[in-house]
Amino acid sequence: MRKTLDRFLSKYNNEDLYFMHADMWSFPLFKAKYPNRCLNVGVQETNMVNIAGGLASQDKHVIVYGVAGFVIHRAYEQIKFSVKHYGKNVTFVNAGANGCYSACGKGHILDDDEELMHALGIKLHEPINRSGFLKTIIKCIRDEHTNYVRLGWDNCEW
């Protein structure tokens, strides 16, 4: 995942593209290469979604990465109001769709993401490999709408 994101951010070295995550891992390499475009907001998923919506409302493209159980459930109202209605250029990339974080507790599990995204009219994408993931992210950035990318086993190094 990290290598894939680095490859993507290197290829699309655009000051209008931001990557945000909720304390998923340390990004020393990313911070050095993209100091103003990679933001770790800590475990504040609702604030992260509000920030993403604000950036998107200013014509920035934002990739939001986090454990979907937290990003989608905790920040659902922010997705609905701050992103969907005011800043559409946001792509949510979920971590752990197939349960690889289930040992961490119920909050890490999201089993209704398809229904939640459908209710908001957000496009759902399910790439199956690194190539598919890169193509999906590029498509989402060019689409200029709110998108949701469901990854399978996120702990694999794509």
Side-chain angles (χ1 to χ4, degrees):
M1 179 69 175
R2 288 171 240 192
K3 290 177 183 177
T4 305
L5 284 169
D6 183 41
R7 182 175 159 202
F8 174 76
L9 291 170
S10 294
K11 183 176 181 180
Y12 290 89
N13 193 9
N14 181 333
E15 291 301 316
D16 290 335
L17 175 64
Y18 287 78
F19 175 77
M20 301 179 73
H21 70 100
D23 210 22
M24 291 299 294
W25 60 69
S26 176
F27 274 96
L29 175 64
F30 281 58
K31 287 179 186 177
K33 290 175 84 172
Y34 321 103
N36 300 319
R37 299 189 302 131
C38 291
L39 309 170
N40 177 358
V41 300
V43 287
Q44 299 184 41
E45 290 85 355
T46 54
N47 289 332
M48 176 174 63
V49 172
N50 281 329
I51 294 166
L55 287 167
S57 74
Q58 300 302 307
D59 296 323
K60 307 299 183 192
H61 295 273
V62 185
I63 298 170
V64 172
Y65 178 73
V67 175
F70 296 122
V71 175
I72 304 303
H73 280 154
R74 285 188 181 167
Y76 191 75
E77 287 185 6
Q78 285 76 16
I79 294 169
K80 183 177 180 178
F81 297 114
S82 296
V83 173
K84 186 64 180 153
H85 294 292
Y86 297 110
K88 296 184 178 195
N89 300 329
V90 176
T91 299
F92 293 94
V93 178
N94 120 318
N98 287 345
C100 61
Y101 294 113
S102 62
C104 298
K106 182 71 175 153
H108 290 75
I109 303 167
L110 184 67
D111 55 4
D112 57 353
D113 55 344
E114 186 172 1
E115 293 87 357
L116 293 171
M117 295 300 102
H118 180 72
L120 293 177
I122 295 174
K123 296 178 187 178
L124 172 71
H125 307 272
E126 297 183 89
I128 59 170
N129 56 29
R130 178 195 309 232
S131 173
F133 175 63
L134 284 172
K135 288 176 185 174
T136 299
I137 291 294
I138 292 166
K139 180 180 177 181
C140 291
I141 296 300
R142 291 181 179 159
D143 183 37
E144 297 188 357
H145 288 89
T146 307
N147 290 277
Y148 176 71
V149 180
R150 179 196 287 157
L151 297 179
W153 288 96
D154 187 54
N155 283 342
C156 64
E157 190 56 55
W158 278 7

